[in-house]
């Protein structure tokens, strides 16, 4: 089964480059005689979801072009919503404050989702209406296409294998932020919605596949583990987009218990344009072959990269991965509590924790005497944790050295499923 994974089209009237890239992808696939069975599109079909006709026009430019030229039935073109596909103009101005103050646990989130008469929940799903209406027009509602407020399920067959494809709306809470710039660490997925999905999927499927626009680390901390654990237990493959990486990411062993593919921002990123072909081996069903197609503007063609082979974790291997992730999650709770002991809280801050109050100290690659010079360069927290250099951090007493190390430790623990790194924190005076 060959899958074409594309994402982030961002269609608008100025989408000439995206359209050119799509045509190049189609031409390359035809020249190489690569027969695609499914197209998975992981969100941001349009640049702005406030107009219904934008989805119609985007579908003609993207889906119809692919379907017609590559002879793929529209039933096998499956897509989920992204943060650009929502209409931010219809969300209530009080929604952001409400969610921040009241939806602070999985229990409260589940309660909001289950109460379909709650006015705030009704208001929160309005921004997805244009996308949902177009999706139901594209795939008519029937026994093979099931629709609920925050997800759709599509049952298909390929090579006599029964497949369940779930499209999850990770962007529904994104609408409460009018700027659209603060998704990371703020999104939510009700756990009870996943339990409903499990009931719909049943037990007779050969493959369970999830399409979601945002990678899971965009969820709020209290929501992340339960959602991630469920998905890694119940699904075989997960496809996502949004992050606009230079190259796609395939995670297949050691951390997740699932094959996860995070695509490059295939049709809109100026740094890297293209898509990915995922080939599930019909003989060795746990083998997956991945090839990237990269658009080169100099010759206006797509070039196919070297094939990389992965393995879908299953059986005992998957069980061990999930059990280890549970230990990591328990460790996060312990280290958060240890970090809280570093705080000197005021009376009005007693309900806050280390992560919410943490401020990154000023770090520079120079001596203390040079800290005031204008030419010196500060080191950001992101730079500190993302590069491979070794650092010795010096500073006066109570300047934040220990807090910085605890923050780094928590960052790696929280993002273990993404980076596969385990941090070790040693207090020198105890060694």
């Amino acid at each position: 089964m060959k899958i074409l994974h594309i994402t982030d089209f961002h269609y608008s009237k100025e989408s000439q480059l995206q359209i050119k890239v799509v045509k190049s992808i189609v031409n390359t696939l035809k020249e190489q005689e690569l027969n695609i069975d499914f197209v998975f599109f992981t969100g941001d079909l349009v640049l702005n979801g406030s107009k219904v006709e934008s989805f119609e026009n985007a579908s003609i430019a993207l889906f119809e072009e692919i379907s017609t030229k590559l002879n793929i039935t529209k039933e096998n073109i499956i897509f989920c919503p992204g943060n650009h596909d929502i209409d931010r103009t219809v969300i209530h101005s009080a929604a952001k404050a409400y969610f921040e103050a009241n939806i602070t646990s999985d229990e409260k989130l589940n309660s909001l989702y289950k109460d379909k008469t709650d006015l705030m929940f009704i208001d929160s799903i309005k921004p997805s209406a244009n996308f949902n209406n177009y999706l139901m027009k594209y795939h008519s509602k029937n026994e093979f296409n099931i629709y609920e407020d925050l997800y759709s399920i599509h049952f298909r067959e390929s090579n006599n294998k029964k497949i369940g494809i779930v499209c999850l709306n990770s962007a529904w809470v994104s609408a409460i932020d009018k700027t659209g710039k603060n998704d990371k660490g703020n999104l939510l997925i009700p756990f009870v919605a996943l339990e409903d999905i499990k009931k719909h999927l049943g037990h007779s499927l050969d493959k369970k596949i999830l399409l979601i626009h945002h990678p899971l680390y965009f969820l709020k901390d209290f929501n992340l583990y339960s959602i991630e654990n469920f998905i890694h237990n119940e699904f075989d493959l997960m496809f996502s987009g949004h992050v606009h990486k230079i190259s796609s990411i395939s995670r297949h062993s050691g951390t997740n218990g699932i094959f996860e593919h995070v695509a490059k921002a295939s049709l809109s990123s100026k740094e890297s344009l293209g898509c990915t072909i995922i080939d599930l081996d019909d003989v060795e069903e746990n083998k997956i072959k991945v090839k990237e197609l990269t658009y080169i503007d100099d010759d206006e063609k797509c070039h196919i990269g070297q094939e990389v082979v992965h393995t879908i974790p299953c059986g005992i291997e998957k069980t061990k991965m999930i059990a280890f992730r549970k230990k990591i999650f328990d460790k996060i709770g312990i280290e958060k509590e240890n970090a809280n002991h570093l705080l000197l809280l005021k009376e009005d801050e007693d309900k806050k924790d280390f992560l919410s109050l943490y401020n990154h100290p000023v770090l520079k690659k120079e001596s203390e005497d040079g800290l005031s010079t204008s030419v010196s360069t500060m080191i950001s927290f992101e730079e500190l944790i993302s590069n491979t250099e070794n650092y010795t951090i010096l500073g006066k007493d109570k300047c934040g050295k220990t807090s910085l190390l605890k923050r780094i430790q928590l960052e790696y623990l929280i993002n273990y499923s993404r980076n596969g790194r385990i941090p070790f924190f040693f207090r020198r005076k105890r060694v």
Side-chain angles (χ1 to χ4, degrees):
M1 181 172 72
K2 281 189 174 60
I3 298 165
L4 179 66
H5 182 197
I6 53 180
T7 192
D8 294 72
F9 191 40
H10 293 183
Y11 178 84
S12 70
K13 292 181 179 179
E14 288 74 41
S15 297
Q16 296 307 310
L17 176 59
Q18 290 98 310
I19 292 172
K20 187 163 58 174
V21 173
V22 171
K23 291 184 182 297
S24 178
I25 291 171
V26 168
N27 291 336
T28 300
L29 294 175
K30 289 179 68 176
E31 290 171 3
Q32 297 294 320
E33 297 182 349
L34 295 171
N35 297 317
I36 302 298
D37 298 298
F38 287 93
V39 175
F40 291 162
F41 181 83
T42 47
D44 283 356
L45 181 60
V46 298
L47 186 62
N48 187 324
S50 61
K51 295 181 180 180
V52 177
E53 58 267 26
S54 295
F55 292 100
E56 298 278 358
N57 295 332
S59 181
I60 292 171
L62 179 59
F63 298 149
E64 190 172 307
E65 174 75 10
I66 291 174
S67 176
T68 304
K69 298 292 178 61
L70 297 179
N71 195 29
I72 302 171
T73 63
K74 64 178 295 185
E75 286 75 19
N76 284 357
I77 297 178
I78 312 294
F79 50 100
C80 69
N83 54 297
H84 281 273
D85 295 321
I86 58 178
D87 182 2
R88 297 181 190 277
T89 64
V90 299
I91 192 70
H92 196 286
S93 59
K96 190 172 190 292
Y98 175 86
F99 271 83
E100 289 178 348
N102 297 284
I103 309 303
T104 55
S105 68
D106 277 330
E107 292 75 17
K108 293 178 179 179
L109 176 60
N110 290 336
S111 178
L112 176 72
Y113 177 75
K114 287 189 290 186
D115 185 4
K116 303 298 184 181
T117 63
D118 188 291
L119 294 179
M120 188 53 69
F121 177 74
I122 293 172
D123 193 68
S124 72
I125 61 177
K126 287 179 181 178
S128 300
N130 287 341
F131 174 88
N132 288 337
N133 289 336
Y134 179 72
L135 177 59
M136 285 188 280
K137 181 179 177 181
Y138 193 88
H139 293 304
S140 298
K141 186 175 182 179
N142 53 40
E143 61 182 310
F144 303 108
N145 300 299
I146 298 172
Y147 295 98
E148 296 294 343
D149 292 318
L150 300 183
Y151 63 86
S152 64
I153 302 176
H154 309 274
F155 295 101
R156 302 292 187 266
E157 286 195 12
S158 177
N159 298 325
N160 296 318
K161 300 291 184 182
K162 294 181 179 179
I163 303 168
I165 305 165
V166 175
C167 297
L168 199 54
N169 186 351
S170 62
W172 71 291
V173 177
S174 175
I176 67 175
D177 174 31
K178 295 286 187 179
T179 68
K181 297 179 180 179
N182 298 307
D183 285 352
K184 189 175 180 181
N186 288 307
L187 302 185
L188 297 166
I189 296 173
F191 185 80
V192 288
L194 295 185
E195 290 182 318
D196 292 341
I197 288 171
K198 182 177 180 179
K199 293 176 184 176
H200 283 302
L201 291 176
H203 303 285
S204 61
L205 296 171
D206 296 294
K207 283 284 185 292
K208 297 177 184 178
I209 300 172
L210 177 68
L211 307 188
I212 181 171
H213 181 61
H214 298 87
L216 296 181
Y217 62 85
F218 276 71
L219 298 176
K220 279 184 177 290
D221 284 347
F222 75 77
N223 188 223
L224 174 61
Y225 177 75
S226 61
I227 300 303
E228 189 176 63
N229 192 53
F230 184 97
I231 289 172
H232 291 172
N233 269 289
E234 298 296 330
F235 289 88
D236 302 296
L237 302 97
M238 176 168 62
F239 295 84
S240 59
H242 182 70
V243 293
H244 298 219
K245 292 287 185 182
I246 291 177
S247 62
S248 62
I249 302 170
S250 295
R251 308 186 190 285
H252 58 98
S253 63
T255 61
N256 292 333
I258 190 175
F259 178 86
E260 176 187 0
H261 189 261
V262 183
K264 63 178 66 178
S266 61
L267 305 177
S268 61
S269 173
K270 293 181 180 179
E271 292 79 16
S272 184
L273 295 159
C275 62
T276 312
I277 299 172
I278 312 290
D279 189 358
L280 277 65
D281 198 299
D282 292 329
V283 179
E284 296 183 79
E285 294 186 0
N286 65 330
K287 296 292 184 183
I288 294 181
K289 302 170 185 175
V290 178
K291 288 183 180 179
E292 289 192 28
L293 274 70
T294 303
Y295 178 80
I296 305 298
D297 195 40
D298 292 344
D299 58 7
E300 297 185 349
K301 291 183 179 180
C302 275
H303 298 263
I304 301 179
Q306 186 176 356
E307 181 177 271
V308 179
V309 180
H310 299 294
T311 304
I312 301 177
C314 58
I316 296 175
E317 181 188 7
K318 182 165 184 170
T319 302
K320 287 181 178 179
M321 289 180 187
I322 292 170
F324 187 74
R325 284 184 55 258
K326 174 65 167 62
K327 292 182 179 180
I328 293 292
F329 179 75
D330 292 341
K331 181 68 172 174
I332 292 172
I334 294 170
E335 294 305 331
K336 277 185 176 180
E337 188 60 32
N338 290 338
N340 289 341
H341 293 321
L342 298 174
L343 299 174
L344 297 174
L345 296 178
K346 300 177 183 178
E347 290 185 6
D348 61 344
E349 295 178 330
D350 59 347
K351 293 184 179 180
K352 295 185 178 181
D353 62 7
F354 175 83
L355 288 176
S356 63
L357 294 173
Y358 175 81
N359 286 313
H360 185 59
V362 176
L363 295 177
K364 296 187 177 183
K365 291 182 180 179
E366 57 184 280
S367 66
E368 183 181 1
D369 295 336
L371 288 179
S372 60
T373 61
S374 59
V375 296
S376 58
T377 303
M378 289 183 59
I379 302 174
S380 68
F381 182 74
E382 289 72 22
E383 179 185 354
L384 190 65
I385 63 173
S386 62
N387 65 37
T388 56
E389 294 183 27
N390 295 322
Y391 288 96
T392 299
I393 299 171
L394 305 175
K396 294 181 178 179
D397 189 36
K398 305 299 181 185
C399 71
K401 299 186 298 296
T402 301
S403 294
L404 173 61
L405 294 177
K406 290 301 294 184
R407 181 65 186 87
I408 293 172
Q409 180 193 29
L410 286 169
E411 178 72 15
Y412 279 114
L413 285 172
I414 291 169
N415 290 291
Y416 170 73
S417 291
R418 183 157 56 108
N419 56 42
R421 296 177 182 176
I422 302 174
F424 291 88
F425 183 95
F426 297 99
R427 288 187 178 273
R428 187 165 177 260
K429 61 183 178 182
R430 295 181 182 176
V431 177

